[in-house]
Amino acid sequence: MTEERKKRVAIIASHGTLDMAYPPLLIATGAVAMDMEASIYFTFYGLQILKKGGADKLQVAPLANPAMPMPVPNIVGMLPGMTAVATGIMKNMFKSANAASLGELLELARELGVHLVACQMTMDALGIKREELIDGLEYGGVATLLEFCSQDAITFAF
Amino acid sequence: MSVPFDQEIDCSGLACPMPIIRTKKAVDGLQVGQVLKMTATDPGSVSDMNAWTARTGHELLAQEQEGGKYVFFIRKYR
């Protein structure tokens, strides 16, 4: 049987909050399980996911976030410590649902062979050094992303 | 239901996407024609295992629900 080329999934991760870091990692690891080839392109705040020990430090902000599971008025959400409180509550909810942590999913993605690509330009602009990021990354620019996408990749952006 | 199987994994308590990832790893280790029994408690696994077998080409021989458990029998196709 001839091996057909694997379907591809390309995901852009440009946010550094807990809620926006989950979908890229869930979809990428799921894609590999579906016999697809997956790549996540980390740019802007998404680079925070790749910082050593950074994935499990990401937070979710209650300020200007009307969709929090426990609604927090902005006048309360702006108080010092409220982001940490909201983050703690949300992490506990995910733990109760037996969901993997972001750090666990990132490690799993690496183990499964997901291409983890750090955007060199935004790293330079934001002053992020390679040694600040986890091992096993690829570094590239828009051509790296587009070349991967050009081979019939399904694309997602977060 | 008694479907003969060659290997069994328990994904009880695991949330998406872990059941399909564990299933893929287990099926990768089987010989073609062998059967995996996978048990999960995630209700989403019913839709996900049907999608997973449709995508990967492995055969979903049978599925059953007993209490809060969802049991799947998957035959490695290739």
Side-chain angles (χ1 to χ4, degrees), chain A residues 2-27:
Chain A
T2 54
E3 185 71 19
E4 59 180 298
R5 182 197 287 279
K6 285 188 174 181
K7 276 204 185 289
R8 288 181 151 187
V9 177
I11 304 161
I12 298 172
S14 62
H15 290 273
T17 55
L18 185 152
D19 51 321
M20 292 298 272
Y22 260 106
L25 294 170
L26 291 169
I27 293 170

CSV table of all heavy atoms in Angstrom, one decimal, chain A residues 2-27:
chain,number,residue,atom,x,y,z
A,2,THR,N,0.6,2.1,-0.9
A,2,THR,CA,1.4,3.4,-1.0
A,2,THR,C,1.0,4.3,0.1
A,2,THR,O,-0.2,4.5,0.4
A,2,THR,CB,1.3,4.1,-2.3
A,2,THR,OG1,-0.1,4.3,-2.6
A,2,THR,CG2,1.9,3.3,-3.5
A,3,GLU,N,2.0,4.9,0.7
A,3,GLU,CA,1.7,5.8,1.9
A,3,GLU,C,1.3,7.2,1.3
A,3,GLU,O,2.1,7.8,0.6
A,3,GLU,CB,3.0,5.9,2.7
A,3,GLU,CG,2.8,6.8,4.0
A,3,GLU,CD,2.0,6.1,5.0
A,3,GLU,OE1,1.8,4.9,5.0
A,3,GLU,OE2,1.5,6.8,5.9
A,4,GLU,N,0.1,7.6,1.6
A,4,GLU,CA,-0.3,8.9,1.1
A,4,GLU,C,0.3,9.9,2.0
A,4,GLU,O,0.5,9.6,3.2
A,4,GLU,CB,-1.9,9.0,1.1
A,4,GLU,CG,-2.5,8.7,2.4
A,4,GLU,CD,-4.0,8.8,2.4
A,4,GLU,OE1,-4.5,9.9,2.1
A,4,GLU,OE2,-4.7,7.8,2.7
A,5,ARG,N,0.4,11.1,1.5
A,5,ARG,CA,0.9,12.2,2.3
A,5,ARG,C,-0.1,12.5,3.4
A,5,ARG,O,-1.3,12.5,3.2
A,5,ARG,CB,1.1,13.5,1.5
A,5,ARG,CG,1.7,14.6,2.3
A,5,ARG,CD,1.5,15.9,1.6
A,5,ARG,NE,2.4,16.1,0.4
A,5,ARG,CZ,3.7,16.4,0.5
A,5,ARG,NH1,4.2,16.7,1.7
A,5,ARG,NH2,4.4,16.6,-0.5
A,6,LYS,N,0.5,12.7,4.6
A,6,LYS,CA,-0.4,13.0,5.7
A,6,LYS,C,-1.1,14.3,5.6
A,6,LYS,O,-0.5,15.3,5.1
A,6,LYS,CB,0.4,13.0,7.0
A,6,LYS,CG,0.8,11.6,7.5
A,6,LYS,CD,1.4,11.6,8.9
A,6,LYS,CE,1.7,10.2,9.4
A,6,LYS,NZ,2.2,10.2,10.7
A,7,LYS,N,-2.3,14.4,6.0
A,7,LYS,CA,-3.0,15.7,6.0
A,7,LYS,C,-2.3,16.6,7.1
A,7,LYS,O,-1.7,16.1,8.0
A,7,LYS,CB,-4.5,15.5,6.5
A,7,LYS,CG,-5.4,15.2,5.3
A,7,LYS,CD,-6.8,15.6,5.6
A,7,LYS,CE,-7.8,15.1,4.5
A,7,LYS,NZ,-7.7,15.9,3.3
A,8,ARG,N,-2.3,17.9,6.8
A,8,ARG,CA,-1.6,18.8,7.7
A,8,ARG,C,-2.5,19.8,8.4
A,8,ARG,O,-3.6,20.2,7.9
A,8,ARG,CB,-0.6,19.6,6.8
A,8,ARG,CG,0.6,18.8,6.4
A,8,ARG,CD,1.5,19.6,5.6
A,8,ARG,NE,2.9,19.1,5.7
A,8,ARG,CZ,3.9,19.7,5.2
A,8,ARG,NH1,3.8,20.9,4.6
A,8,ARG,NH2,5.1,19.2,5.4
A,9,VAL,N,-2.2,20.1,9.6
A,9,VAL,CA,-2.9,21.1,10.4
A,9,VAL,C,-1.9,22.1,10.8
A,9,VAL,O,-0.8,21.8,11.5
A,9,VAL,CB,-3.5,20.4,11.7
A,9,VAL,CG1,-4.2,21.5,12.5
A,9,VAL,CG2,-4.5,19.4,11.2
A,10,ALA,N,-2.1,23.4,10.5
A,10,ALA,CA,-1.2,24.5,10.9
A,10,ALA,C,-2.0,25.4,11.8
A,10,ALA,O,-3.1,25.8,11.5
A,10,ALA,CB,-0.8,25.2,9.6
A,11,ILE,N,-1.4,25.7,12.9
A,11,ILE,CA,-2.1,26.5,13.9
A,11,ILE,C,-1.2,27.7,14.3
A,11,ILE,O,0.0,27.6,14.5
A,11,ILE,CB,-2.3,25.7,15.2
A,11,ILE,CG1,-3.1,24.4,14.8
A,11,ILE,CG2,-3.1,26.5,16.3
A,11,ILE,CD1,-3.0,23.3,15.9
A,12,ILE,N,-1.8,28.9,14.4
A,12,ILE,CA,-1.1,30.1,14.8
A,12,ILE,C,-1.5,30.4,16.2
A,12,ILE,O,-2.7,30.5,16.5
A,12,ILE,CB,-1.4,31.3,13.9
A,12,ILE,CG1,-0.9,31.0,12.5
A,12,ILE,CG2,-0.7,32.5,14.4
A,12,ILE,CD1,-1.4,32.0,11.5
A,13,ALA,N,-0.5,30.5,17.1
A,13,ALA,CA,-0.8,30.8,18.5
A,13,ALA,C,-0.2,32.2,18.8
A,13,ALA,O,1.0,32.3,18.9
A,13,ALA,CB,-0.2,29.7,19.5
A,14,SER,N,-1.1,33.2,19.0
A,14,SER,CA,-0.5,34.5,19.2
A,14,SER,C,-0.9,35.1,20.5
A,14,SER,O,-0.7,36.3,20.7
A,14,SER,CB,-1.0,35.4,18.0
A,14,SER,OG,-2.4,35.5,17.9
A,15,HIS,N,-1.5,34.3,21.4
A,15,HIS,CA,-1.9,34.9,22.6
A,15,HIS,C,-1.3,34.1,23.8
A,15,HIS,O,-1.0,32.9,23.7
A,15,HIS,CB,-3.5,34.8,22.8
A,15,HIS,CG,-4.2,35.8,21.9
A,15,HIS,ND1,-4.4,37.1,22.2
A,15,HIS,CD2,-4.6,35.7,20.6
A,15,HIS,CE1,-5.0,37.7,21.2
A,15,HIS,NE2,-5.2,36.9,20.3
A,16,GLY,N,-1.1,34.9,24.9
A,16,GLY,CA,-0.3,34.3,26.0
A,16,GLY,C,-1.2,34.2,27.2
A,16,GLY,O,-0.7,34.4,28.4
A,17,THR,N,-2.5,33.9,27.1
A,17,THR,CA,-3.3,33.6,28.2
A,17,THR,C,-3.7,32.2,28.3
A,17,THR,O,-3.7,31.5,27.3
A,17,THR,CB,-4.6,34.5,28.2
A,17,THR,OG1,-5.3,34.2,26.9
A,17,THR,CG2,-4.3,36.0,28.3
A,18,LEU,N,-4.1,31.7,29.5
A,18,LEU,CA,-4.4,30.3,29.7
A,18,LEU,C,-5.5,29.8,28.7
A,18,LEU,O,-5.3,28.8,28.1
A,18,LEU,CB,-4.9,30.2,31.2
A,18,LEU,CG,-5.2,28.8,31.7
A,18,LEU,CD1,-5.0,28.8,33.2
A,18,LEU,CD2,-6.6,28.4,31.4
A,19,ASP,N,-6.5,30.6,28.6
A,19,ASP,CA,-7.6,30.2,27.7
A,19,ASP,C,-7.3,30.1,26.2
A,19,ASP,O,-7.8,29.3,25.5
A,19,ASP,CB,-8.9,31.1,27.9
A,19,ASP,CG,-8.5,32.6,27.8
A,19,ASP,OD1,-7.4,33.0,28.3
A,19,ASP,OD2,-9.3,33.4,27.2
A,20,MET,N,-6.3,31.0,25.8
A,20,MET,CA,-6.0,31.0,24.4
A,20,MET,C,-4.8,30.1,24.1
A,20,MET,O,-4.5,29.8,22.9
A,20,MET,CB,-5.6,32.4,24.0
A,20,MET,CG,-6.8,33.4,23.9
A,20,MET,SD,-8.1,32.8,22.8
A,20,MET,CE,-7.5,33.6,21.3
A,21,ALA,N,-4.2,29.5,25.1
A,21,ALA,CA,-3.1,28.6,24.9
A,21,ALA,C,-3.6,27.2,24.8
A,21,ALA,O,-2.9,26.3,24.2
A,21,ALA,CB,-2.1,28.7,26.1
A,22,TYR,N,-4.7,26.9,25.4
A,22,TYR,CA,-5.2,25.5,25.4
A,22,TYR,C,-5.6,25.0,23.9
A,22,TYR,O,-5.1,24.0,23.5
A,22,TYR,CB,-6.4,25.3,26.3
A,22,TYR,CG,-6.1,24.7,27.6
A,22,TYR,CD1,-6.1,25.4,28.8
A,22,TYR,CD2,-5.8,23.3,27.7
A,22,TYR,CE1,-5.8,24.9,30.0
A,22,TYR,CE2,-5.5,22.7,28.9
A,22,TYR,CZ,-5.5,23.5,30.1
A,22,TYR,OH,-5.2,22.9,31.3
A,23,PRO,N,-6.4,25.8,23.2
A,23,PRO,CA,-6.8,25.2,21.9
A,23,PRO,C,-5.7,24.8,20.9
A,23,PRO,O,-5.7,23.7,20.4
A,23,PRO,CB,-7.7,26.4,21.3
A,23,PRO,CG,-8.2,27.1,22.5
A,23,PRO,CD,-7.0,27.1,23.5
A,24,PRO,N,-4.6,25.7,20.8
A,24,PRO,CA,-3.6,25.2,19.8
A,24,PRO,C,-2.9,23.9,20.3
A,24,PRO,O,-2.7,23.0,19.4
A,24,PRO,CB,-2.5,26.3,19.9
A,24,PRO,CG,-3.2,27.5,20.4
A,24,PRO,CD,-4.3,27.0,21.3
A,25,LEU,N,-2.7,23.7,21.6
A,25,LEU,CA,-2.1,22.5,22.0
A,25,LEU,C,-3.0,21.3,22.0
A,25,LEU,O,-2.6,20.2,21.6
A,25,LEU,CB,-1.6,22.7,23.5
A,25,LEU,CG,-0.4,23.7,23.6
A,25,LEU,CD1,-0.2,24.0,25.1
A,25,LEU,CD2,0.8,23.2,22.9
A,26,LEU,N,-4.3,21.5,22.2
A,26,LEU,CA,-5.3,20.4,22.1
A,26,LEU,C,-5.4,20.0,20.7
A,26,LEU,O,-5.5,18.8,20.4
A,26,LEU,CB,-6.6,20.9,22.7
A,26,LEU,CG,-6.7,21.1,24.2
A,26,LEU,CD1,-8.0,21.8,24.6
A,26,LEU,CD2,-6.6,19.8,25.0
A,27,ILE,N,-5.6,20.9,19.8
A,27,ILE,CA,-5.8,20.6,18.4
A,27,ILE,C,-4.5,19.9,17.8
A,27,ILE,O,-4.6,18.9,17.1
A,27,ILE,CB,-6.2,21.8,17.6
A,27,ILE,CG1,-7.6,22.3,18.1
A,27,ILE,CG2,-6.2,21.5,16.1
A,27,ILE,CD1,-8.0,23.7,17.5
